[in-house]
Amino acid sequence: MAINLNRSEAVIREKRLKSIIGYTGTVKDILEKTKSGCLKNRSRSFTQTTNCSSGCAQFYLSTITDAAVVNHAPIGCLSDAVGADVGYKWGQNMRNWEKKSINVINTNMSEETTVFGGRKILKAAIFEAYRRFKPKAIFVTTSCASAIIGDDIDSLVQEAEEEIGIPVVPVFCEGFRSQIWASGFDAAFQALLTRIIKPPVKKRPELVNLINFTASGSEIIKKIFDRLGLVPQFGIPFSSIDEISRMSEAAATISVCGTLGGYFGNALEQKYGVPYVTALQPHGIKGIEDWLRNLGSILNKEKEVEEYISEMQETIKPELSKLREKLKGKRAVVGMGPSFSHNYIRLLEEFGIDVVWGLSWHYDALHDHGGCPSCTLELEKSEKDVNISVNDQQNHELVNILRKYKPDIFIGRHPGQSVWAIKMGIPSIMVGDEYSAFGYEGTIEFGYRILDEITNSNLAKNLSKRITLPYTEWWLEQEEFTFLEREAK
Ligand code: SF4
């Protein structure tokens, strides 16, 4: 389905990518169902809390260095701004920048607002954001409350924009719009694509847009790209409105996360002809090689890429085989967003680790380029059929999976999950940094991190002796998918 940039709202993932949040089975089974068009979401009769798409959109846009976000919502909808602020400061620290907080204002919608409408407070908040932060653009994010009462955001932001003279851009990301919180990334990108990115003034054949979260790996990327005669433009976090507005001038777009970058990359290709590189994520050996080879073939850098690959393969060979010897046969459970989860399953299997279960928070049956996710297709090639589930961050399912499989390690990408494994005495790694296991050196480093965790598991063991899980014995004895709707025969 072509991405529609003539509207201010992004089409949600359930409709665009046939995404689901409930499933249990195997890699080969989910792909068979995907390809035959029979994949259906299985709903839950009980759910714990999960994330909402407005958090994703707000976090992502609030890290643009010279923009502001106005969240038109009750104050609780902005509670995850605390995490966004910590992440922003961490990124500033890494760059030796002066520390400042994210530029975010909430309209504090009350009962009265929900009865009489929120135009007045929203307009006041936009003016306040302009006065306080002097931004180059203001993004207005919506909430369930603003959508339910039907505030006409489009017309109001237009009025405000005419008065203050900078882009005031609506971002339609209310939580009830989509069950998939990654839809919030698409909502943020829709705002950038429709209102911030300008047509190219001149094409820059050396420039590559690199869509990521923190750009913590910027030094290694610059080093590799320099060898290829390329220059990365990291985004969207820690870039400016001006830098983002010129992303149409790049020679290609690539991402470290398929779930994150696909919408932006494909839309930029569609609108401005900037090719989007579809590849495995650059984690693990197969990942980095596929990522670089696909980039190289689009930009005619095949020779330089092959030289780099053969040099690095030689460099890491001894360490990699040492690690494989030590990690072979260890058992792991993985729990991450869909692209990270299926890419990390591959990475762990490259070390000879047996992944006994892979959870992903949702699953996109398609990607915006039209095919199935390449990371899942890559797993399908293996003789082994990995057990997987689509879990929507449901900790009660995770806890019973961990109890059942008793892995040597749990690898997660969200602190709200990894902590449960540790409480159960299972060593755990929280991959908060998207450049963990990036490329050759990162893969080796990550292998040693796993080895350290497995060989020194005292923290997890000691914690588990002192912690009582909040789940009852009744639940702990249940089959892990008791609350998941049965599959139709
Ligand atoms: S789901 Fe709705 S009410 Fe809850 S945080 Fe998200 S936008 Fe706010």
mmCIF file of all heavy atoms in Angstrom, residues 305-344:
data_model
loop_
_atom_site.group_PDB
_atom_site.id
_atom_site.type_symbol
_atom_site.label_atom_id
_atom_site.label_comp_id
_atom_site.label_asym_id
_atom_site.label_seq_id
_atom_site.Cartn_x
_atom_site.Cartn_y
_atom_site.Cartn_z
ATOM 1 N N VAL A 305 32.837 -1.950 0.153
ATOM 2 C CA VAL A 305 32.151 -2.739 1.191
ATOM 3 C C VAL A 305 32.817 -4.108 1.324
ATOM 4 O O VAL A 305 33.108 -4.561 2.440
ATOM 5 C CB VAL A 305 30.637 -2.875 0.860
ATOM 6 C CG1 VAL A 305 29.990 -3.967 1.700
ATOM 7 C CG2 VAL A 305 29.910 -1.557 1.072
ATOM 8 N N GLU A 306 33.102 -4.758 0.187
ATOM 9 C CA GLU A 306 33.704 -6.100 0.251
ATOM 10 C C GLU A 306 35.087 -6.054 0.895
ATOM 11 O O GLU A 306 35.458 -6.946 1.651
ATOM 12 C CB GLU A 306 33.775 -6.748 -1.142
ATOM 13 C CG GLU A 306 32.411 -7.140 -1.714
ATOM 14 C CD GLU A 306 31.529 -7.976 -0.778
ATOM 15 O OE1 GLU A 306 32.063 -8.812 -0.031
ATOM 16 O OE2 GLU A 306 30.304 -7.768 -0.795
ATOM 17 N N GLU A 307 35.837 -4.994 0.616
ATOM 18 C CA GLU A 307 37.171 -4.859 1.228
ATOM 19 C C GLU A 307 37.037 -4.754 2.752
ATOM 20 O O GLU A 307 37.761 -5.396 3.504
ATOM 21 C CB GLU A 307 37.866 -3.594 0.705
ATOM 22 C CG GLU A 307 38.546 -3.817 -0.625
ATOM 23 C CD GLU A 307 39.007 -2.518 -1.285
ATOM 24 O OE1 GLU A 307 38.978 -1.443 -0.628
ATOM 25 O OE2 GLU A 307 39.366 -2.583 -2.456
ATOM 26 N N TYR A 308 36.103 -3.937 3.181
ATOM 27 C CA TYR A 308 35.890 -3.754 4.624
ATOM 28 C C TYR A 308 35.463 -5.083 5.267
ATOM 29 O O TYR A 308 35.999 -5.487 6.308
ATOM 30 C CB TYR A 308 34.824 -2.674 4.869
ATOM 31 C CG TYR A 308 34.473 -2.496 6.321
ATOM 32 C CD1 TYR A 308 35.357 -1.858 7.192
ATOM 33 C CD2 TYR A 308 33.271 -2.985 6.829
ATOM 34 C CE1 TYR A 308 35.046 -1.714 8.545
ATOM 35 C CE2 TYR A 308 32.952 -2.835 8.175
ATOM 36 C CZ TYR A 308 33.838 -2.202 9.029
ATOM 37 O OH TYR A 308 33.531 -2.063 10.357
ATOM 38 N N ILE A 309 34.527 -5.773 4.608
ATOM 39 C CA ILE A 309 34.017 -7.028 5.169
ATOM 40 C C ILE A 309 35.141 -8.062 5.309
ATOM 41 O O ILE A 309 35.302 -8.680 6.369
ATOM 42 C CB ILE A 309 32.843 -7.574 4.300
ATOM 43 C CG1 ILE A 309 31.592 -6.713 4.531
ATOM 44 C CG2 ILE A 309 32.560 -9.040 4.602
ATOM 45 C CD1 ILE A 309 30.383 -7.090 3.695
ATOM 46 N N SER A 310 35.942 -8.244 4.258
ATOM 47 C CA SER A 310 36.961 -9.304 4.380
ATOM 48 C C SER A 310 38.028 -8.928 5.406
ATOM 49 O O SER A 310 38.509 -9.789 6.144
ATOM 50 C CB SER A 310 37.560 -9.690 3.028
ATOM 51 O OG SER A 310 37.998 -8.557 2.383
ATOM 52 N N GLU A 311 38.334 -7.644 5.503
ATOM 53 C CA GLU A 311 39.306 -7.207 6.520
ATOM 54 C C GLU A 311 38.770 -7.500 7.932
ATOM 55 O O GLU A 311 39.475 -8.046 8.785
ATOM 56 C CB GLU A 311 39.516 -5.704 6.341
ATOM 57 C CG GLU A 311 40.637 -5.112 7.130
ATOM 58 C CD GLU A 311 40.661 -3.597 6.960
ATOM 59 O OE1 GLU A 311 40.790 -3.113 5.805
ATOM 60 O OE2 GLU A 311 40.511 -2.916 7.970
ATOM 61 N N MET A 312 37.520 -7.158 8.163
ATOM 62 C CA MET A 312 36.937 -7.327 9.503
ATOM 63 C C MET A 312 36.707 -8.799 9.848
ATOM 64 O O MET A 312 36.856 -9.204 10.995
ATOM 65 C CB MET A 312 35.624 -6.530 9.629
ATOM 66 C CG MET A 312 35.792 -5.030 9.653
ATOM 67 S SD MET A 312 37.036 -4.437 10.826
ATOM 68 C CE MET A 312 36.324 -4.900 12.385
ATOM 69 N N GLN A 313 36.337 -9.582 8.827
ATOM 70 C CA GLN A 313 36.140 -11.022 9.091
ATOM 71 C C GLN A 313 37.430 -11.635 9.632
ATOM 72 O O GLN A 313 37.406 -12.416 10.582
ATOM 73 C CB GLN A 313 35.722 -11.735 7.794
ATOM 74 C CG GLN A 313 34.251 -11.554 7.457
ATOM 75 C CD GLN A 313 33.867 -12.226 6.152
ATOM 76 O OE1 GLN A 313 34.726 -12.608 5.355
ATOM 77 N NE2 GLN A 313 32.570 -12.361 5.919
ATOM 78 N N GLU A 314 38.549 -11.262 9.011
ATOM 79 C CA GLU A 314 39.844 -11.770 9.466
ATOM 80 C C GLU A 314 40.148 -11.287 10.885
ATOM 81 O O GLU A 314 40.606 -12.034 11.734
ATOM 82 C CB GLU A 314 40.959 -11.295 8.521
ATOM 83 C CG GLU A 314 41.111 -12.141 7.279
ATOM 84 C CD GLU A 314 41.229 -13.628 7.602
ATOM 85 O OE1 GLU A 314 42.131 -14.002 8.366
ATOM 86 O OE2 GLU A 314 40.386 -14.410 7.097
ATOM 87 N N THR A 315 39.902 -9.983 11.121
ATOM 88 C CA THR A 315 40.228 -9.392 12.424
ATOM 89 C C THR A 315 39.507 -10.093 13.573
ATOM 90 O O THR A 315 40.091 -10.343 14.618
ATOM 91 C CB THR A 315 39.853 -7.884 12.437
ATOM 92 O OG1 THR A 315 40.348 -7.298 11.261
ATOM 93 C CG2 THR A 315 40.382 -7.161 13.644
ATOM 94 N N ILE A 316 38.227 -10.383 13.384
ATOM 95 C CA ILE A 316 37.463 -10.903 14.535
ATOM 96 C C ILE A 316 37.439 -12.426 14.621
ATOM 97 O O ILE A 316 36.929 -12.988 15.584
ATOM 98 C CB ILE A 316 36.006 -10.378 14.532
ATOM 99 C CG1 ILE A 316 35.266 -10.845 13.274
ATOM 100 C CG2 ILE A 316 35.943 -8.877 14.715
ATOM 101 C CD1 ILE A 316 33.815 -11.074 13.540
ATOM 102 N N LYS A 317 37.961 -13.085 13.601
ATOM 103 C CA LYS A 317 37.870 -14.554 13.538
ATOM 104 C C LYS A 317 38.273 -15.251 14.845
ATOM 105 O O LYS A 317 37.503 -16.048 15.383
ATOM 106 C CB LYS A 317 38.736 -15.049 12.377
ATOM 107 C CG LYS A 317 38.244 -16.304 11.738
ATOM 108 C CD LYS A 317 39.207 -16.616 10.632
ATOM 109 C CE LYS A 317 38.670 -17.521 9.607
ATOM 110 N NZ LYS A 317 39.608 -17.595 8.484
ATOM 111 N N PRO A 318 39.468 -14.981 15.395
ATOM 112 C CA PRO A 318 39.866 -15.724 16.602
ATOM 113 C C PRO A 318 38.920 -15.486 17.782
ATOM 114 O O PRO A 318 38.523 -16.438 18.462
ATOM 115 C CB PRO A 318 41.263 -15.173 16.923
ATOM 116 C CG PRO A 318 41.650 -14.273 15.819
ATOM 117 C CD PRO A 318 40.481 -14.012 14.968
ATOM 118 N N GLU A 319 38.537 -14.234 17.995
ATOM 119 C CA GLU A 319 37.638 -13.908 19.127
ATOM 120 C C GLU A 319 36.276 -14.575 18.931
ATOM 121 O O GLU A 319 35.685 -15.098 19.875
ATOM 122 C CB GLU A 319 37.436 -12.389 19.228
ATOM 123 C CG GLU A 319 38.659 -11.616 19.614
ATOM 124 C CD GLU A 319 39.025 -11.785 21.080
ATOM 125 O OE1 GLU A 319 38.174 -12.195 21.873
ATOM 126 O OE2 GLU A 319 40.195 -11.536 21.409
ATOM 127 N N LEU A 320 35.785 -14.530 17.700
ATOM 128 C CA LEU A 320 34.467 -15.094 17.425
ATOM 129 C C LEU A 320 34.455 -16.598 17.687
ATOM 130 O O LEU A 320 33.537 -17.127 18.323
ATOM 131 C CB LEU A 320 34.056 -14.780 15.975
ATOM 132 C CG LEU A 320 32.626 -15.141 15.600
ATOM 133 C CD1 LEU A 320 31.615 -14.379 16.456
ATOM 134 C CD2 LEU A 320 32.358 -14.847 14.119
ATOM 135 N N SER A 321 35.509 -17.298 17.254
ATOM 136 C CA SER A 321 35.473 -18.749 17.488
ATOM 137 C C SER A 321 35.655 -19.075 18.972
ATOM 138 O O SER A 321 35.048 -20.018 19.475
ATOM 139 C CB SER A 321 36.463 -19.512 16.603
ATOM 140 O OG SER A 321 37.698 -18.921 16.683
ATOM 141 N N LYS A 322 36.413 -18.227 19.698
ATOM 142 C CA LYS A 322 36.547 -18.430 21.138
ATOM 143 C C LYS A 322 35.160 -18.278 21.813
ATOM 144 O O LYS A 322 34.758 -19.085 22.639
ATOM 145 C CB LYS A 322 37.507 -17.356 21.696
ATOM 146 C CG LYS A 322 38.411 -17.868 22.802
ATOM 147 C CD LYS A 322 39.135 -16.771 23.520
ATOM 148 C CE LYS A 322 40.245 -16.117 22.717
ATOM 149 N NZ LYS A 322 40.847 -14.972 23.450
ATOM 150 N N LEU A 323 34.466 -17.235 21.398
ATOM 151 C CA LEU A 323 33.142 -16.988 21.981
ATOM 152 C C LEU A 323 32.164 -18.118 21.654
ATOM 153 O O LEU A 323 31.397 -18.562 22.498
ATOM 154 C CB LEU A 323 32.580 -15.666 21.449
ATOM 155 C CG LEU A 323 32.979 -14.412 22.202
ATOM 156 C CD1 LEU A 323 32.595 -13.176 21.426
ATOM 157 C CD2 LEU A 323 32.337 -14.382 23.592
ATOM 158 N N ARG A 324 32.221 -18.566 20.390
ATOM 159 C CA ARG A 324 31.307 -19.643 19.980
ATOM 160 C C ARG A 324 31.528 -20.895 20.817
ATOM 161 O O ARG A 324 30.576 -21.564 21.208
ATOM 162 C CB ARG A 324 31.490 -19.938 18.496
ATOM 163 C CG ARG A 324 30.746 -18.947 17.624
ATOM 164 C CD ARG A 324 30.972 -19.217 16.159
ATOM 165 N NE ARG A 324 30.173 -18.315 15.350
ATOM 166 C CZ ARG A 324 30.510 -17.939 14.117
ATOM 167 N NH1 ARG A 324 31.622 -18.395 13.569
ATOM 168 N NH2 ARG A 324 29.734 -17.131 13.433
ATOM 169 N N GLU A 325 32.787 -21.187 21.092
ATOM 170 C CA GLU A 325 33.102 -22.364 21.912
ATOM 171 C C GLU A 325 32.460 -22.252 23.296
ATOM 172 O O GLU A 325 31.923 -23.200 23.832
ATOM 173 C CB GLU A 325 34.615 -22.424 22.127
ATOM 174 C CG GLU A 325 35.311 -23.512 21.362
ATOM 175 C CD GLU A 325 36.803 -23.318 21.481
ATOM 176 O OE1 GLU A 325 37.303 -23.251 22.617
ATOM 177 O OE2 GLU A 325 37.453 -23.184 20.416
ATOM 178 N N LYS A 326 32.554 -21.035 23.869
ATOM 179 C CA LYS A 326 32.065 -20.847 25.243
ATOM 180 C C LYS A 326 30.542 -20.710 25.326
ATOM 181 O O LYS A 326 29.948 -21.044 26.345
ATOM 182 C CB LYS A 326 32.719 -19.605 25.850
ATOM 183 C CG LYS A 326 34.200 -19.829 26.043
ATOM 184 C CD LYS A 326 34.839 -18.718 26.793
ATOM 185 C CE LYS A 326 36.254 -19.150 27.168
ATOM 186 N NZ LYS A 326 37.150 -18.106 27.456
ATOM 187 N N LEU A 327 29.938 -20.186 24.267
ATOM 188 C CA LEU A 327 28.491 -19.920 24.339
ATOM 189 C C LEU A 327 27.642 -21.031 23.722
ATOM 190 O O LEU A 327 26.425 -21.070 23.924
ATOM 191 C CB LEU A 327 28.171 -18.588 23.646
ATOM 192 C CG LEU A 327 28.713 -17.330 24.337
ATOM 193 C CD1 LEU A 327 28.486 -16.101 23.485
ATOM 194 C CD2 LEU A 327 28.077 -17.141 25.714
ATOM 195 N N LYS A 328 28.273 -21.912 22.999
ATOM 196 C CA LYS A 328 27.538 -22.972 22.305
ATOM 197 C C LYS A 328 26.642 -23.757 23.277
ATOM 198 O O LYS A 328 27.097 -24.168 24.328
ATOM 199 C CB LYS A 328 28.529 -23.925 21.631
ATOM 200 C CG LYS A 328 27.910 -24.856 20.638
ATOM 201 C CD LYS A 328 29.012 -25.526 19.835
ATOM 202 C CE LYS A 328 28.493 -26.351 18.707
ATOM 203 N NZ LYS A 328 27.549 -27.313 18.923
ATOM 204 N N GLY A 329 25.404 -23.901 22.904
ATOM 205 C CA GLY A 329 24.486 -24.705 23.701
ATOM 206 C C GLY A 329 23.828 -23.976 24.855
ATOM 207 O O GLY A 329 22.926 -24.508 25.510
ATOM 208 N N LYS A 330 24.265 -22.739 25.142
ATOM 209 C CA LYS A 330 23.573 -21.974 26.189
ATOM 210 C C LYS A 330 22.169 -21.670 25.684
ATOM 211 O O LYS A 330 21.933 -21.551 24.475
ATOM 212 C CB LYS A 330 24.306 -20.659 26.493
ATOM 213 C CG LYS A 330 25.716 -20.853 26.982
ATOM 214 C CD LYS A 330 25.742 -21.420 28.377
ATOM 215 C CE LYS A 330 27.177 -21.602 28.856
ATOM 216 N NZ LYS A 330 27.303 -22.593 29.912
ATOM 217 N N ARG A 331 21.232 -21.503 26.620
ATOM 218 C CA ARG A 331 19.828 -21.335 26.214
ATOM 219 C C ARG A 331 19.359 -19.925 26.554
ATOM 220 O O ARG A 331 19.633 -19.421 27.649
ATOM 221 C CB ARG A 331 18.967 -22.391 26.907
ATOM 222 C CG ARG A 331 19.418 -23.803 26.535
ATOM 223 C CD ARG A 331 18.864 -24.862 27.454
ATOM 224 N NE ARG A 331 17.456 -25.098 27.213
ATOM 225 C CZ ARG A 331 16.486 -24.701 28.012
ATOM 226 N NH1 ARG A 331 16.767 -24.047 29.132
ATOM 227 N NH2 ARG A 331 15.228 -24.954 27.731
ATOM 228 N N ALA A 332 18.656 -19.313 25.609
ATOM 229 C CA ALA A 332 18.222 -17.926 25.821
ATOM 230 C C ALA A 332 16.751 -17.730 25.474
ATOM 231 O O ALA A 332 16.189 -18.427 24.616
ATOM 232 C CB ALA A 332 19.062 -16.981 24.960
ATOM 233 N N VAL A 333 16.128 -16.750 26.158
ATOM 234 C CA VAL A 333 14.814 -16.231 25.760
ATOM 235 C C VAL A 333 15.033 -14.776 25.377
ATOM 236 O O VAL A 333 15.787 -14.066 26.049
ATOM 237 C CB VAL A 333 13.779 -16.350 26.911
ATOM 238 C CG1 VAL A 333 12.506 -15.568 26.588
ATOM 239 C CG2 VAL A 333 13.437 -17.814 27.176
ATOM 240 N N VAL A 334 14.411 -14.360 24.269
ATOM 241 C CA VAL A 334 14.556 -12.989 23.786
ATOM 242 C C VAL A 334 13.197 -12.304 23.859
ATOM 243 O O VAL A 334 12.174 -12.915 23.550
ATOM 244 C CB VAL A 334 15.037 -13.003 22.301
ATOM 245 C CG1 VAL A 334 15.043 -11.602 21.717
ATOM 246 C CG2 VAL A 334 16.416 -13.619 22.194
ATOM 247 N N GLY A 335 13.161 -11.037 24.267
ATOM 248 C CA GLY A 335 11.895 -10.282 24.276
ATOM 249 C C GLY A 335 12.146 -8.838 23.888
ATOM 250 O O GLY A 335 12.775 -8.097 24.646
ATOM 251 N N MET A 336 11.695 -8.432 22.704
ATOM 252 C CA MET A 336 11.993 -7.082 22.189
ATOM 253 C C MET A 336 10.892 -6.659 21.212
ATOM 254 O O MET A 336 9.978 -7.431 20.926
ATOM 255 C CB MET A 336 13.322 -7.105 21.428
ATOM 256 C CG MET A 336 14.523 -7.511 22.242
ATOM 257 S SD MET A 336 15.997 -7.623 21.207
ATOM 258 C CE MET A 336 17.265 -7.530 22.429
ATOM 259 N N GLY A 337 11.032 -5.464 20.644
ATOM 260 C CA GLY A 337 10.167 -5.069 19.534
ATOM 261 C C GLY A 337 10.390 -6.032 18.379
ATOM 262 O O GLY A 337 11.369 -6.783 18.386
ATOM 263 N N PRO A 338 9.493 -6.059 17.386
ATOM 264 C CA PRO A 338 9.557 -7.135 16.384
ATOM 265 C C PRO A 338 10.864 -7.228 15.606
ATOM 266 O O PRO A 338 11.426 -8.321 15.470
ATOM 267 C CB PRO A 338 8.387 -6.831 15.446
ATOM 268 C CG PRO A 338 7.945 -5.455 15.753
ATOM 269 C CD PRO A 338 8.358 -5.155 17.163
ATOM 270 N N SER A 339 11.367 -6.114 15.083
ATOM 271 C CA SER A 339 12.594 -6.197 14.274
ATOM 272 C C SER A 339 13.777 -6.586 15.143
ATOM 273 O O SER A 339 14.595 -7.429 14.767
ATOM 274 C CB SER A 339 12.901 -4.852 13.621
ATOM 275 O OG SER A 339 12.222 -4.757 12.425
ATOM 276 N N PHE A 340 13.878 -5.951 16.308
ATOM 277 C CA PHE A 340 14.989 -6.276 17.200
ATOM 278 C C PHE A 340 14.918 -7.738 17.628
ATOM 279 O O PHE A 340 15.929 -8.435 17.646
ATOM 280 C CB PHE A 340 15.002 -5.344 18.417
ATOM 281 C CG PHE A 340 15.977 -4.217 18.252
ATOM 282 C CD1 PHE A 340 15.616 -3.065 17.579
ATOM 283 C CD2 PHE A 340 17.271 -4.323 18.726
ATOM 284 C CE1 PHE A 340 16.526 -2.030 17.390
ATOM 285 C CE2 PHE A 340 18.200 -3.308 18.556
ATOM 286 C CZ PHE A 340 17.824 -2.150 17.885
ATOM 287 N N SER A 341 13.726 -8.210 17.984
ATOM 288 C CA SER A 341 13.597 -9.577 18.470
ATOM 289 C C SER A 341 14.076 -10.577 17.423
ATOM 290 O O SER A 341 14.939 -11.418 17.699
ATOM 291 C CB SER A 341 12.136 -9.855 18.839
ATOM 292 O OG SER A 341 11.989 -11.182 19.248
ATOM 293 N N HIS A 342 13.568 -10.464 16.205
ATOM 294 C CA HIS A 342 13.910 -11.477 15.201
ATOM 295 C C HIS A 342 15.353 -11.315 14.711
ATOM 296 O O HIS A 342 15.979 -12.282 14.308
ATOM 297 C CB HIS A 342 12.883 -11.452 14.059
ATOM 298 C CG HIS A 342 11.531 -11.944 14.515
ATOM 299 N ND1 HIS A 342 10.480 -12.192 13.675
ATOM 300 C CD2 HIS A 342 11.064 -12.237 15.756
ATOM 301 C CE1 HIS A 342 9.433 -12.614 14.377
ATOM 302 N NE2 HIS A 342 9.771 -12.640 15.646
ATOM 303 N N ASN A 343 15.880 -10.096 14.766
ATOM 304 C CA ASN A 343 17.292 -9.917 14.413
ATOM 305 C C ASN A 343 18.208 -10.447 15.515
ATOM 306 O O ASN A 343 19.246 -11.032 15.247
ATOM 307 C CB ASN A 343 17.606 -8.442 14.135
ATOM 308 C CG ASN A 343 17.285 -8.055 12.699
ATOM 309 O OD1 ASN A 343 18.007 -8.426 11.782
ATOM 310 N ND2 ASN A 343 16.193 -7.339 12.489
ATOM 311 N N TYR A 344 17.806 -10.245 16.773
ATOM 312 C CA TYR A 344 18.640 -10.734 17.874
ATOM 313 C C TYR A 344 18.577 -12.263 18.004
ATOM 314 O O TYR A 344 19.533 -12.880 18.455
ATOM 315 C CB TYR A 344 18.242 -10.044 19.196
ATOM 316 C CG TYR A 344 19.142 -8.851 19.480
ATOM 317 C CD1 TYR A 344 19.127 -7.746 18.646
ATOM 318 C CD2 TYR A 344 20.024 -8.845 20.542
ATOM 319 C CE1 TYR A 344 19.965 -6.661 18.880
ATOM 320 C CE2 TYR A 344 20.866 -7.761 20.789
ATOM 321 C CZ TYR A 344 20.833 -6.679 19.952
ATOM 322 O OH TYR A 344 21.663 -5.602 20.174
#
